[in-house]
Amino acid sequence: MKAIISGGGSGGHIFPAVAIANAIKARYADAEILFVGAEGRMEMEKVPAAGYEIKGLPIAGLQRQLTVSNIIKNLQLPYKVVRSQCMVKSIIREFDPDIVVGVGGFASEPTLKVASRMGYTTLLQEQNSYAGLTNKTLARSAKTICVAYDGMDRFFPAEKIVYTGNPVRADIENMTATREEGCGFFGVDVSKPVILSVGGSLGARSINEMILANLNFFKENDVQIVWQTGKWMYEKAVSEVQKAGLEQWVKVHQFIGRMDLAYAVADVVVSRAGAIAISELCLVGKPVILIPSPNVAEDHQTKNAMALVNKGAALMVKDVECGAKGLPMALELLNDKVLCNQMSEAIKAMASPKAADKIVDEIDKLVKNKR
């Protein structure tokens, strides 16, 4: 089995890609897997750390804010696309894969387009409830499209769609961590409630600013928070928490590697509404307040969130309102055990375990049919 997996840009694309690779390796011990990502993006660090080889393309996305710098970048984009396609052609010809898998992100478009033109079998993994333009375009030549939400025949040919759910990290899929272990790891008091704030692997400005502006909230209400800030807010957050003497209540982390322990310790989660974050939350069954990012294509995070809200599995706060409403809503939820239990049961019912294995089942079918 030889597979190319392409995509990245954020943890929401990288973690499922690695989960698929791990599932292929678990089934085929001698499998050869090559990743194709975008130069300078998170996958160029995270994929090698997971034990896989990756090739980087000079691809980038269209810059929508019209600044001088962005206009220059947009003018360079056609050159980057052509150069990336030439590089991909060489990579595919040399590696000669059985299957090419796209998980979303800048690199997936040139990789899957070129692979299809060269006659290679391609599979798409669409994580969101609202498909973006890139995947809608790539779907025309993909043999199979693995999805995580119902009703995706609005975007893709129904005969190509297979419902698999979204692959998540193995430590979440097979979670055994206890609250006591989590409390020890993060240094929080086991007897006091804990809010977990995660804004995605890159951080979330509005959520970070909400917490930073209300640091005394946690001491005043005797509530602890485990706070993943992302890279850009981390140093300021640490400084302000230390200055206020609130280290007992506010635990600041740039990036949380042990999300199994973070979920184990959390009584309530405040999160963006990325597809992979939601898939993890469904598996761990935690009450959650979703604050969708407004800075995503087609406002797909709001659509992801509403898929849960409509089933009583989550609460939602608009990004522009989170500064005023987010923390009071979290405190209200912490104090309503009946609602917490109802939400936990509802969100667990939406879980899709073993998604990576189901995707490998589809890869098996395509490869065997080809052979």
Side-chain angles (χ1 to χ4, degrees):
M1 175 67 75
K2 298 181 73 175
I4 285 178
I5 302 176
S6 184
S10 69
H13 294 308
I14 297 165
F15 296 137
V18 170
I20 293 168
N22 290 342
I24 293 172
K25 274 287 190 182
R27 194 169 301 187
Y28 300 97
D30 59 347
E32 295 179 44
I33 299 171
L34 177 66
F35 281 76
V36 177
E39 290 175 353
R41 305 293 291 188
M42 184 189 289
E43 59 265 28
M44 301 308 293
E45 175 190 344
K46 298 295 182 185
V47 169
Y52 296 102
E53 182 185 358
I54 185 168
K55 304 280 188 182
L57 304 178
I59 192 68
L62 185 68
Q63 303 297 315
R64 289 178 168 81
Q65 290 185 334
L66 295 180
T67 64
V68 174
S69 173
N70 285 346
I71 290 170
I72 292 170
K73 288 178 182 177
N74 286 340
L75 290 172
Q76 295 172 338
L77 191 55
Y79 165 75
K80 290 182 176 181
V81 170
V82 172
R83 186 162 170 244
S84 294
Q85 289 179 341
C86 291
M87 290 174 66
V88 164
K89 191 172 183 179
S90 176
I91 290 167
I92 292 174
R93 185 181 288 126
E94 182 179 342
F95 190 75
D96 192 25
D98 295 299
I99 188 82
V100 180
V101 178
V103 296
F106 298 142
S108 64
E109 183 172 21
T111 304
L112 268 73
K113 270 188 178 177
V114 170
S116 295
R117 287 176 192 160
M118 295 174 71
Y120 286 88
T121 303
T122 63
L123 175 144
L124 272 183
Q125 198 266 318
E126 171 57 64
Q127 293 132 22
N128 292 293
S129 61
Y130 195 95
L133 180 61
T134 297
N135 273 1
K136 283 190 276 190
T137 302
L138 294 174
R140 295 169 192 163
S141 54
K143 295 294 184 184
T144 299
I145 304 161
C146 297
V147 303
Y149 290 88
D150 296 328
M152 296 304 287
D153 52 356
R154 292 174 294 159
F155 311 107
F156 305 128
E159 67 275 10
K160 294 185 178 184
I161 294 173
V162 179
Y163 180 87
T164 58
N166 281 323
V168 301
R169 290 169 277 194
D171 57 346
I172 308 300
E173 179 84 59
N174 307 307
M175 190 165 140
T176 58
T178 65
R179 178 178 171 82
E180 289 70 23
E181 289 175 312
C183 287
F185 184 85
F186 290 105
V188 297
D189 188 333
V190 70
S191 67
K192 295 178 181 178
V194 177
I195 297 171
L196 169 65
S197 173
V198 282
S201 54
L202 304 176
R205 177 178 294 177
S206 56
I207 295 177
N208 284 340
E209 289 177 348
M210 170 186 74
I211 296 169
L212 198 62
N214 294 280
L215 289 176
N216 286 321
F217 170 93
F218 303 99
K219 181 178 180 181
E220 289 166 1
N221 293 284
D222 203 19
V223 171
Q224 303 165 105
I225 183 167
V226 175
W227 178 16
Q228 179 178 279
T229 62
K231 180 180 179 180
W232 309 112
M233 181 66 82
Y234 176 68
E235 290 183 5
K236 183 176 182 180
V238 169
S239 174
E240 292 299 317
V241 169
Q242 290 177 346
K243 194 185 302 181
L246 295 170
E247 297 97 322
Q248 179 182 339
W249 291 272
V250 183
K251 309 296 182 179
V252 184
H253 296 263
Q254 179 176 318
F255 178 79
I256 299 174
R258 290 296 305 273
M259 280 303 299
D260 57 330
L261 293 174
Y263 287 132
V265 81
D267 295 293
V268 165
V269 180
V270 176
S271 175
R272 282 299 197 205
I276 301 306
I278 285 178
S279 295
E280 292 184 350
L281 289 162
C282 289
L283 284 168
V284 300
K286 294 290 180 172
V288 60
I289 297 169
L290 297 171
I291 304 175
S293 171
N295 306 311
V296 293
E298 310 289 350
D299 195 26
H300 68 254
Q301 285 204 6
T302 296
K303 296 175 176 71
N304 291 348
M306 289 307 299
L308 273 68
V309 172
N310 290 337
K311 294 187 177 181
L315 302 177
M316 188 183 86
V317 177
K318 291 181 180 178
D319 188 78
V320 295
E321 298 176 343
C322 80
K325 295 183 178 179
L327 290 177
M329 184 181 286
L331 184 63
E332 189 176 338
L333 185 56
L334 277 172
N335 292 326
D336 191 338
K337 300 304 179 188
V338 173
L339 180 57
C340 279
N341 290 335
Q342 289 173 347
M343 289 173 62
S344 290
E345 291 304 313
I347 199 169
K348 282 179 187 176
M350 298 181 71
S352 298
K354 305 297 181 186
D357 290 328
K358 293 172 186 173
I359 292 170
V360 177
D361 289 341
E362 297 307 313
I363 290 172
D364 279 347
K365 291 175 189 175
L366 292 176
V367 171
K368 286 172 183 174
N369 286 340
K370 179 184 173 185
R371 286 173 178 167

